[in-house]
Amino acid sequence: MNKEITLVCEETFDGIMTAVYNGWVFMNKGWIVHIHPGRNYTPTFFSEFVPVETDLDKAVRVAESVRIKVSEKAYRMVYEACMHYDEDRADAVFNFLKLAYPAGARVTKMLGNPAVMRLMELSRKVSNEAHLFKEFLRFDELKGNVLYGKIEPKCDVLPFVAQHFDERFPEEDWIIYDAKRKKSAVHKHNMDTIFVEGRDMDHLTKDLQTNDEYRDLWQVFFKTIGIEARYNPKCQQNHMPEWYRKNVTEFQ
């Protein structure tokens, strides 16, 4: 009977990639490998518990191997899946890669395989949520003409949202704050965006411009554009669920 091992890693892309690297070594020795991102793992009698320290060199080697030996599309799917919140996301990535390396680029078309479908499901969820937050994000203005936007997504979509606004507002100073993960994307005009983790940015709201005429105009527009005879809260709820509205200007 093969022994089982559970590698417990950080809840980051680099952490999961490191665990994939280590997991491959154990798998080649005959172990059944599971990967659990996060610290809320409870060890069991059926699987050996091994913590994994993030190693950037290992993470880069795995990421580059996916790009070169499989495809850029597969790498994108793996990256997006790692940004999901499901506890099985790292297992899904590992199972997908076990299939992907022998199959090569055609693996993304193997839709009848459960490992491919599961990874695609996670990837699509992250991609869809990122797309919605690109539309739903609203900026306020801090003193000093710095734009400030706050989001609380289910998935870790900040990198995708930041990339979008990096291309859209390259000459502006802005901060996008993921309050759920205490992670921020900070952009200074015509410079690269940097990510800051572990710092609460809510204290910046004390510097919000209180007499923002654009905020007022947007709220008035939202209230007057609707057709009263066609008011359909259920339809609106389907297109924009309540939890998206928490930081949206027109719902304040």
Side-chain angles (χ1 to χ4, degrees), residues 121-207:
E121 179 185 1
L122 295 172
S123 171
R124 186 183 296 116
K125 166 66 179 177
V126 174
S127 179
N128 289 345
E129 189 175 18
H131 176 72
L132 290 173
F133 271 100
K134 291 171 188 177
E135 298 178 349
F136 296 155
L137 176 63
R138 302 291 185 260
F139 285 105
D140 286 302
E141 189 172 357
L142 303 173
K143 293 177 181 178
N145 299 319
V146 177
L147 301 177
Y148 176 79
K150 180 178 176 180
I151 59 175
E152 298 180 54
K154 292 182 178 180
C155 302
D156 186 2
V157 300
L158 182 62
F160 310 106
V161 177
Q163 181 183 15
H164 170 77
F165 286 99
D166 194 17
E167 297 170 355
R168 187 175 180 185
F169 298 147
E171 298 183 359
E172 300 288 345
D173 295 333
W174 48 260
I175 298 171
I176 302 175
Y177 176 49
D178 182 345
K180 187 174 182 179
R181 296 168 182 80
K182 287 186 167 43
K183 182 162 69 173
S184 305
V186 181
H187 177 84
K188 187 173 177 59
H189 59 280
N190 295 324
M191 295 181 67
D192 291 335
T193 300
I194 62 172
F195 291 89
V196 179
E197 298 189 30
R199 295 187 61 181
D200 189 339
M201 294 292 186
D202 273 337
H203 68 280
L204 296 176
T205 56
K206 63 182 176 57
D207 292 328

Side-chain angles (χ1 to χ4, degrees), residues 23-252:
W24 217 266
V25 175
F26 282 106
M27 183 185 70
N28 288 335
K29 293 179 179 179
W31 290 70
I32 298 174
V33 177
H34 304 285
I35 302 176
H36 182 90
R39 300 179 179 179
N40 61 337
Y41 173 73
T42 303
T44 69
F45 291 108
F46 305 102
S47 181
E48 185 174 335
F49 166 83
V50 177
V52 175
E53 293 292 331
T54 299
D55 186 318
L56 291 180
D57 181 60
K58 291 180 179 179
V60 170
R61 289 174 67 179
V62 173
E64 286 302 312
S65 72
V66 176
R67 281 180 158 144
I68 296 170
K69 296 181 180 180
V70 188
S71 68
E72 283 289 338
K73 181 178 180 180
Y75 170 77
R76 176 78 178 188
M77 290 170 58
V78 166
Y79 183 78
E80 288 175 340
C82 288
M83 297 300 167
H84 204 279
Y85 54 84
D86 271 4
E87 291 186 357
D88 79 325
R89 63 189 181 278
D91 272 342
V93 167
F94 192 71
N95 292 332
F96 172 79
L97 292 179
K98 286 191 289 186
L99 182 69
Y101 283 123
R106 66 187 178 89
V107 70
T108 57
K109 298 180 180 179
M110 299 168 61
L111 303 183
N113 190 287
V116 178
M117 286 303 298
R118 178 55 180 156
L119 190 88
M120 188 170 291
E121 179 185 1
L122 295 172
S123 171
R124 186 183 296 116
K125 166 66 179 177
V126 174
S127 179
N128 289 345
E129 189 175 18
H131 176 72
L132 290 173
F133 271 100
K134 291 171 188 177
E135 298 178 349
F136 296 155
L137 176 63
R138 302 291 185 260
F139 285 105
D140 286 302
E141 189 172 357
L142 303 173
K143 293 177 181 178
N145 299 319
V146 177
L147 301 177
Y148 176 79
K150 180 178 176 180
I151 59 175
E152 298 180 54
K154 292 182 178 180
C155 302
D156 186 2
V157 300
L158 182 62
F160 310 106
V161 177
Q163 181 183 15
H164 170 77
F165 286 99
D166 194 17
E167 297 170 355
R168 187 175 180 185
F169 298 147
E171 298 183 359
E172 300 288 345
D173 295 333
W174 48 260
I175 298 171
I176 302 175
Y177 176 49
D178 182 345
K180 187 174 182 179
R181 296 168 182 80
K182 287 186 167 43
K183 182 162 69 173
S184 305
V186 181
H187 177 84
K188 187 173 177 59
H189 59 280
N190 295 324
M191 295 181 67
D192 291 335
T193 300
I194 62 172
F195 291 89
V196 179
E197 298 189 30
R199 295 187 61 181
D200 189 339
M201 294 292 186
D202 273 337
H203 68 280
L204 296 176
T205 56
K206 63 182 176 57
D207 292 328
L208 287 178
Q209 301 283 7
T210 56
N211 57 340
D212 189 343
E213 61 181 10
Y214 289 102
R215 168 186 276 271
D216 297 337
L217 286 171
W218 186 249
Q219 289 177 337
V220 170
F221 171 79
F222 177 74
K223 291 177 181 178
T224 57
I225 194 66
I227 302 174
E228 186 175 352
R230 295 186 178 180
Y231 178 63
N232 189 338
K234 185 175 181 180
C235 180
Q236 189 183 65
Q237 178 76 18
N238 289 336
H239 287 283
M240 192 176 188
E242 291 285 345
W243 67 274
Y244 279 112
R245 308 179 189 186
K246 187 173 181 180
N247 301 295
V248 177
T249 302
E250 53 266 43
F251 292 98
Q252 302 299 311

